[in-house]
């Protein structure tokens, strides 16, 4: 499946160039970005559903999207050093410790 990353670029508009660089050079970032796009799309579909089971699905999708967003912010923090991204990763987050030690 082809991914445009338009949603990801929309979520992080200040670092579009970095997003495209990372998607072409970092396989892990690309995998996370693709999953972020897929989850965002599935969440949008679940939010518009009238099915009863869509509510629990929405909760799970939102939780996964939040996890992915935190990880992507940590990577962007490492790449840019910009507090805009670093501040969005909680100090106690295992992603932050793995990517960028707390100051």
């Amino acid at each position: 499946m082809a991914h445009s990353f338009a949603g990801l670029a929309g979520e992080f508009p200040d670092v579009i160039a970095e997003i495209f660089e990372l998607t072409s050079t970092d396989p892990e970032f690309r995998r996370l970005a693709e999953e972020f796009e897929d989850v965002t799309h599935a969440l949008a579909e679940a939010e518009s559903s009238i099915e009863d089971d869509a509510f629990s699905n929405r909760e799970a999708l939102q939780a996964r999207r939040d996890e992915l967003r935190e990880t992507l912010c940590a990577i962007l923090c490492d790449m840019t050093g910009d507090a805009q991204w670093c501040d969005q990763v909680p100090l106690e987050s295992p992603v932050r410790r793995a990517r960028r030690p707390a100051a």
Side-chain angles (χ1 to χ4, degrees), residues 33-91:
E34 288 175 350
E35 185 178 354
F36 183 86
E37 293 287 326
D38 292 343
V39 169
T40 298
H41 180 73
L43 183 59
E45 287 183 357
E47 287 175 343
S48 65
S49 175
I50 59 171
E51 300 295 323
D52 288 338
D53 64 341
F55 182 74
S56 62
N57 191 33
R58 278 195 310 258
E59 289 179 337
L61 288 168
Q62 186 62 56
R64 181 60 185 149
R65 187 179 187 279
D66 292 345
E67 290 171 6
L68 289 165
R69 189 178 194 292
E70 184 177 299
T71 302
L72 293 166
C73 282
I75 295 169
L76 291 169
C77 171
D78 279 352
M79 181 177 207
T80 67
D82 189 333
Q84 175 180 357
W85 311 115
C86 300
D87 291 348
Q88 294 187 44
V89 183
L91 291 175

Side-chain angles (χ1 to χ4, degrees), residues 11-40:
E11 185 81 14
F12 304 106
D14 296 337
V15 287
I16 292 172
E18 289 87 346
I19 289 170
F20 285 109
E21 179 182 339
L22 284 166
T23 56
S24 62
T25 61
D26 183 337
E28 178 64 6
F29 184 89
R30 181 175 183 82
R31 183 191 68 73
L32 292 167
E34 288 175 350
E35 185 178 354
F36 183 86
E37 293 287 326
D38 292 343
V39 169
T40 298

